[in-house]
Each structure stands twice: as C-alpha cells, then as structure tokens.
Amino acid sequence: MTPSSLTGLFRLLTACAALALSACAELPQASQKKPDAAPLVFPSLPDEPRFVYERTLYTSADVVEEDRTSAFRRLVTGEGETSGEGVVKPWGVAAWRGRVYVADSAGGGVKVFDIRNGRFFTLGRDDKGALRTPLGVDVDDAGTAYVVDSTLKVVKVYDPQGKYLRQFGGPKILSRPTGVAVDRAGKRAYVVDTGGVDKYNEHRVRVFDAASGSHVLDIGKRGSGEGEFNLASDAAVAPNGNLYVVDTGNFRVQEFRPDGGFVRTFGRIGRSYGQFARPREVAIDKSGNVYVSDAAFGNFQIFSGDGQFLMYIGARSERDAPARYMLPAGIAVDEDGRVYMADQFFRKVDVFRPTHLKPEEGYAVRQPKSNAK
C-alpha cells in the first residue's frame, strides 16, 4: 500500500471514529431508564407513592463520566468499556452532601461515590489511616468521616478530603466493634460493641468524645430487658440527639437519651409488618423517622420516631433488580431524604428518592463542572 493510500485510510478511520464518538455522546447511559419506562414507586399504586427508585451504584463508572479522550482510545484500540472499581462486600453506608460512603469489609477501605462532583475515591489506603476490616461508617455535618475497623478494634477519622486525622478506641476498650454513630456536631461518637458468646458482658454501646477520643460512658449490658442488648449491631443519632440502637439478637430497636437513659423499645421477632427477623442497620431522616434494614426479609422498614410502622421497601430475591436483595446490610438517609440501601450479595447500593423531591433537586445530583464543589 502506498503512503498516500495509508494517509487516506487513516483519515477515513479518524472520521469514522469521530462520527461514532459523537453518536455515542447522544446515547443515554446504560444505567438510565428508558424515557417511557414507568417509575418504580413505593408503596405501589393505588396507594400514594412516598419513594421512587432512582438509580443503583455498582462501581466508580456509575459516577465518574468517561472523558472524550478515553472513549476515542477505546474506539481506535478496540478496548472494552471500563467497568470501574466496585465494592467487594459492602457493609455500612453513610451519606453526606452528595457523597455515598460504603464500607468495603472484604475489599478494604471505604469507597466514596461522590455523585455531585462526578468523583470516586477510597478512604483508608494510606499507611497511617489504612483500614483492614471496615464495617460501620458515619459522617458528621462538617464532613468528617468515622469508620469502625473490627479487626484493628478502633475508630479511624478522616477529613472531607479523605485525609487520615486520628483514631480512638483500641483492643483494651473495644471487643468486637461493628457500628458507629456520631452526633451532627461531631462531639460524641457512639460505638456499638457487639460482643459474642465468649464476650458475655461486652454487649454494649461505648460512648467517646469524638474530638479527643476519651471514653465518656457505657450504655447497656448483656440481657433482654429494657436497655440491655444481645448482639447489637448498629446505631444512629436522631435530630433530637437521641440514640437508636439495633438490638439484633433481641429482634428490636431501642431508643436512648444522649446520657444513656432508656426511652423506649419497638419491634419483636416475627414475619409481619413492624417485626424483625435479622435487623442489621439503622438510619434516621431529618423528620426523625427510623429506617431499619433486615437481612432475612430482604427489605428495609420505616417507622416513626416512636416506633409506629409506616411502610417497607424491597423484597428478597435471588436475582438482582431494583429493590431486590439477597443480603441487605447498610442503610443511610441523606439531608434531602434520599435513601441508600446496600446489598452484600449483589454488591450494590440502591438509591430511592422521596416523591416530594424532584430528580434535579438535592445534593445527590451531578453538577456541571463549573458549579461542582
């Protein structure tokens, strides 16, 4: 083939690639619903919908947009689409200003899906702040993240940029930590020490000064009475400052005042609405409603602050689909009322939007690069 022929062929390939690239830019992303697809709402009609399924987060590719250079390279070289970095075994979930923090108990670190800014990064990979088995995660109003590492038996703290700041706890004071909750001001951290058969007296919530790491007080002990725990797994702080604890082995949720005083309990073992089979994690919205994931039911239930059952979302399934779960775990509610539900088996986080919120409203919406912060 002559040089002029090669030049002509190269120009033809370049033109075709550019045309294909511009065409790709017009196509919707695979994760988007078809324009005529009916929204998946909860509860279903004819009841008044309260939530609508919005999207699912699997990998970094669900929040990080592919640039034109990368797309062009794939077309020219024949590379497959980048699947992105995913989560191996999602456990705890937290949400703050458009970011979704997912503790990856098997993959190491906390994967952060920054929906608002189209970014993805991981907490706990640098030497000092390295995580081995992160389980619980929470974020205060300033964006400071608190992560429980069950192997190291500490809580590690990171700033909004993901920089490691400090840690507290340790094997001398924490036995089997699984969950963490922080008040909005970042003053108190509540660490759920689950205990076990060989740790009979260590079923409790240990309270720390979140800034200094000093131990303040303990809440609860082993038992089934009011204010007692059997394999508690998670906790969340309500807008009024009260603490809600998932008392897994007693199949209930308990509420306490900040000073540890018992307020109430709700739920019991069973298969009906408002009952529990294997409650895992808890989250609370700005109105004080309580959201509890259940690994056996494959759903999350919503209660009022005083424990009245309101509704549920999800069902157990062996096939992945929106609001279908095999091993649901962490749950979080953000400032705008969006709910984030993690499933360990399907390695995903489903996102549900309250129906009063428009799709383009709230923090968890991709912003133009010029406006992203």
Side-chain angles (χ1 to χ4, degrees), residues 205-243:
V205 175
R206 313 215 77 174
V207 187
F208 297 85
D209 182 292
S212 67
S214 60
H215 177 230
V216 178
L217 59 92
D218 287 337
I219 300 174
K221 63 179 182 178
R222 180 71 179 268
S224 58
E226 293 182 348
E228 297 177 341
F229 302 119
N230 181 22
L231 302 173
S233 58
D234 191 42
V237 180
N240 65 0
N242 282 3
L243 182 75

Side-chain angles (χ1 to χ4, degrees), residues 12 17 29 67 87 130 146 181 190 199-200 204 227 254 258 305 320 322 330 341 361:
L12 177 61
Q29 297 179 3
D67 60 35
V87 182
Y146 301 76
Y190 302 84
K199 304 289 185 182
Y200 189 85
R204 58 198 173 188
Q254 298 198 67
D320 185 14
M341 173 76 154
E361 293 179 334

Side-chain angles (χ1 to χ4, degrees), residues 29 51 60 133 143 148 229 240 249 301 371:
Q29 297 179 3
F51 289 90
S60 58
T133 313
V148 164
F229 302 119
N240 65 0
Q301 299 185 74
N371 296 334

Side-chain angles (χ1 to χ4, degrees), residues 50-52 54 95-98 283-289 291 300 302 311 313 331-341 350-358 361-364:
R50 300 294 183 181
F51 289 90
V52 57
E54 187 168 64
W96 177 77
R97 296 188 181 182
I284 303 175
D285 66 23
K286 62 182 180 181
S287 298
N289 296 317
Y291 300 65
F300 64 88
I302 307 175
M311 64 175 289
I313 293 177
I331 188 167
V333 184
D334 70 11
E335 303 89 342
D336 304 305
R338 281 184 169 89
V339 183
Y340 305 84
M341 173 76 154
D350 280 351
V351 185
F352 301 89
R353 188 184 74 251
T355 52
H356 65 77
L357 193 70
K358 296 179 180 179
E361 293 179 334
Y363 282 109

Side-chain angles (χ1 to χ4, degrees), residues 237-290:
V237 180
N240 65 0
N242 282 3
L243 182 75
Y244 288 76
V245 182
V246 178
D247 189 5
T248 302
N250 287 322
F251 307 97
R252 63 187 181 183
V253 173
Q254 298 198 67
E255 180 185 358
F256 300 87
R257 293 189 298 272
D259 62 3
F262 174 81
V263 177
R264 65 169 58 88
T265 182
F266 61 87
R268 59 187 177 87
I269 188 171
R271 301 177 62 182
S272 299
Y273 303 138
Q275 298 176 342
F276 300 117
R278 192 183 171 193
R280 288 287 298 275
E281 287 215 351
V282 59
I284 303 175
D285 66 23
K286 62 182 180 181
S287 298
N289 296 317
V290 183

Side-chain angles (χ1 to χ4, degrees), residues 78-213:
E79 294 177 359
E81 289 193 26
T82 303
S83 59
E85 182 179 353
V87 182
V88 178
K89 190 176 182 181
W91 195 285
V93 180
W96 177 77
R97 296 188 181 182
R99 295 180 181 178
V100 185
Y101 296 73
V102 185
D104 193 348
S105 61
V110 173
K111 310 298 173 59
V112 183
F113 295 82
D114 189 350
I115 299 172
R116 186 174 183 82
N117 297 306
R119 298 188 306 136
F120 179 92
F121 59 97
T122 302
L123 304 181
R125 283 187 171 168
D126 59 301
D127 291 339
K128 291 184 178 180
L131 294 163
R132 292 182 62 183
T133 313
L135 296 184
V137 57
D138 202 6
V139 183
D140 65 23
D141 279 349
T144 304
Y146 301 76
V147 184
V148 164
D149 191 303
S150 66
T151 298
L152 300 176
K153 304 183 189 305
V154 298
V155 175
K156 297 204 173 191
V157 186
Y158 305 83
D159 72 10
Q161 287 70 47
K163 179 181 177 182
Y164 171 73
L165 298 175
R166 60 186 181 276
Q167 69 180 41
F168 57 86
K172 291 183 179 181
I173 194 169
L174 294 175
S175 172
R176 191 184 166 201
T178 56
V180 63
V182 185
D183 62 25
R184 296 305 86 198
K187 293 183 177 180
R188 279 199 171 184
Y190 302 84
V191 181
V192 179
D193 213 354
T194 300
V197 176
D198 60 333
K199 304 289 185 182
Y200 189 85
N201 295 318
E202 297 176 8
H203 297 237
R204 58 198 173 188
V205 175
R206 313 215 77 174
V207 187
F208 297 85
D209 182 292
S212 67

